[in-house]
Amino acid sequence: MVVVVTIVVVLLIVASVLLILHFVNNSSSNDKFPFGIGVYTYDVVHKYSHIHDPAIGEQVNVGSNVIPINKVHAPFTQGLFFIDNDTLLESSGLYGASYIREFSLSSGKTKRFNNLKSNLFAEGLAIVIEPMTYRKFILTLTYKEKVILVFDYNTMELYHTFEHELDGYGLTSNIDLLQSVEDLKEENFARYQKLWTTTGDNYLYEIEIPYEFSKTKKLSISGKTPITCAGFAIYHVNELEYHVQAKTLYANVFLTKLILEIDISKGACLKIINLSGLVEKCDNYEGMKNRESVLNGIAIDPQNSKADLPNLLVTGKIWPNMFQIRLVKSISKLEATAALSEYFKSIGKKVP
């Protein structure tokens, strides 16, 4: 009986794979593949330095409990986004080596940074508005510590700490970072402000944003949506980036070379972007071959942020470079197959 059941399960899996490959072989170059999903590759527009030198820029926090990070290194990127046309915020992880920093894209130089305590592992990063005051704050997830750090946007000093119930992976909000606080206030942005996170499971979680931060101890989960692609549950969605123009999310899938564009309300993927071959373009690639050097970090280029095909700035953990890329619609059936092959590595289980 066990043998029969095993054979049936194997046949069902093979049939599912063959069905999807059937879509590959029978789709025209103008069709989305499969189930309304676009498959994309990339062209590299520009290559930038991705190096943090602690000797350059202002260290915001200094004290006996602060990690001394003195070595010039490529960040262990966890969160990344533009705050103007040339300046980005980034969170870098690992115990005993986590920090957040502000840096210039064009020069690659760190402007200021805040080193975290050694017992904290920094994860995703987002900016939100405190509804009561309309002050901007930087939120930084932690991996297993069940806390979210709240930094003052203007000073980068730690302001508050929220407790929450989830492990930390990705974090993003729906704020337009190029808008002034005055414009956000005039639009009453706090009424429709959103904050999303991922935890390594197959859900996108929405986190409630409290009215007054300093009087709030623990954040609540206000909703969750299953993340799916081509009918499969997607686990380990990592770094998140909100696309203001399209009102969608771009997301890394941990340990793969894929970025997904995700419909927030449905949790379904709209695009599969295959970045195979990108890490090999890094400086000193031969010296960085290890399991940790995975794709992670997406920032939408504010100067090329079209709703359908924005340019992306992408990087990875301990990558010495960042790449501005242009998305290219795949016209190759082999490319779709390659994307699916990479995608199947991250599948949890078929959605019922």
Side-chain angles (χ1 to χ4, degrees):
M1 182 65 179
V2 174
V3 174
V4 172
V5 172
T6 302
I7 292 173
V8 170
V9 170
V10 170
L11 289 174
L12 286 173
I13 293 172
V14 171
S16 298
V17 173
L18 290 175
L19 177 62
I20 292 178
L21 293 179
H22 169 77
F23 278 91
V24 177
N25 294 324
N26 291 281
S27 60
S28 71
S29 61
N30 295 320
D31 292 335
K32 288 188 174 181
F33 164 86
F35 314 118
I37 300 167
V39 177
Y40 291 80
T41 56
Y42 64 94
D43 285 334
V44 173
V45 178
H46 204 285
K47 180 178 177 179
Y48 296 94
S49 173
H50 183 225
I51 298 295
H52 174 47
D53 183 352
I56 298 175
E58 174 194 0
Q59 181 175 347
V60 172
N61 57 332
V62 179
S64 59
N65 62 340
V66 175
I67 305 167
I69 304 173
N70 302 314
K71 186 179 179 181
V72 177
H73 63 279
F76 194 86
T77 304
Q78 303 287 33
L80 184 72
F81 52 79
F82 281 94
I83 57 174
D84 63 34
N85 289 337
D86 185 62
T87 308
L88 295 104
L89 284 180
E90 179 177 36
S91 53
S92 180
L94 296 175
Y95 289 110
S98 287
Y99 56 88
I100 63 172
R101 71 166 184 147
E102 179 182 294
F103 69 99
S104 165
L105 176 64
S106 57
S107 71
K109 294 181 179 179
T110 299
K111 296 182 177 182
R112 55 180 181 161
F113 60 98
N114 187 316
N115 293 340
L116 307 190
K117 293 181 180 180
S118 60
N119 63 331
L120 298 175
F121 189 124
E123 285 282 349
L125 194 69
I127 288 180
V128 295
I129 293 291
E130 181 183 45
M132 186 181 79
T133 62
Y134 269 80
R135 286 174 63 186
K136 279 185 179 180
F137 288 96
I138 304 166
L139 302 187
T140 305
L141 276 178
T142 55
Y143 180 35
K144 294 287 187 180
E145 292 70 52
K146 302 287 195 297
V147 296
I148 295 178
L149 307 176
V150 184
F151 297 92
D152 182 274
Y153 176 80
N154 293 319
T155 66
M156 203 179 269
E157 294 177 349
L158 184 64
Y159 173 79
H160 187 59
T161 300
F162 292 128
E163 297 175 3
H164 75 129
E165 61 191 70
L166 303 172
D167 288 344
Y169 267 58
L171 187 71
T172 194
S173 71
N174 66 333
I175 190 171
D176 183 347
L177 294 171
L178 300 187
Q179 278 193 295
S180 67
V181 170
E182 291 73 22
D183 288 342
L184 293 170
K185 193 170 185 179
E186 186 175 336
E187 293 178 6
N188 205 7
F189 172 71
R191 291 187 60 185
Y192 57 90
Q193 182 175 213
K194 301 288 185 182
L195 181 66
W196 299 280
T197 189
T198 52
T199 70
D201 63 15
N202 61 314
Y203 287 93
L204 177 68
Y205 293 86
E206 184 176 336
I207 300 176
E208 185 176 347
I209 300 173
Y211 181 70
E212 185 176 0
F213 289 0
S214 63
K215 293 186 177 180
T216 303
K217 182 178 180 181
K218 186 173 182 178
L219 297 182
S220 301
I221 304 301
S222 57
K224 68 177 186 177
T225 304
I227 302 172
T228 63
C229 195
F232 288 87
I234 299 297
Y235 290 77
H236 302 301
V237 171
N238 206 3
E239 210 267 327
L240 299 173
E241 173 81 355
Y242 180 73
H243 185 10
V244 173
Q245 304 300 327
K247 296 180 172 56
T248 59
L249 297 180
Y250 281 74
N252 291 115
V253 181
F254 186 49
L255 298 180
T256 77
K257 299 170 184 176
L258 301 181
I259 290 175
L260 303 182
E261 183 185 18
I262 298 171
D263 181 308
I264 296 171
S265 62
K266 298 177 181 178
C269 75
L270 304 171
K271 289 186 181 74
I272 300 175
I273 304 165
N274 189 352
L275 299 189
S276 294
L278 187 61
V279 66
E280 288 85 349
K281 300 180 188 298
C282 284
D283 299 339
N284 192 33
Y285 168 65
E286 292 300 321
M288 55 179 283
K289 289 181 179 179
N290 63 65
R291 188 177 182 274
E292 301 291 350
S293 302
V294 296
L295 182 72
N296 206 45
I298 310 165
I300 291 175
D301 182 353
Q303 300 183 81
N304 294 279
S305 58
K306 294 179 292 186
D308 186 43
L309 290 177
N311 281 7
L312 305 179
L313 184 73
V314 296
T315 189
K317 299 179 181 183
I318 57 177
W319 285 22
N321 299 102
M322 299 181 294
F323 299 89
Q324 182 189 15
I325 62 170
R326 180 188 302 113
L327 302 185
V328 178
K329 180 68 180 290
S330 173
I331 59 174
S332 166
K333 295 174 182 178
L334 292 177
E335 181 58 44
T337 304
L340 278 180
S341 176
E342 182 69 24
Y343 159 69
F344 271 112
K345 295 176 186 177
S346 64
I347 287 176
K349 59 182 180 179
K350 188 78 183 290
V351 175

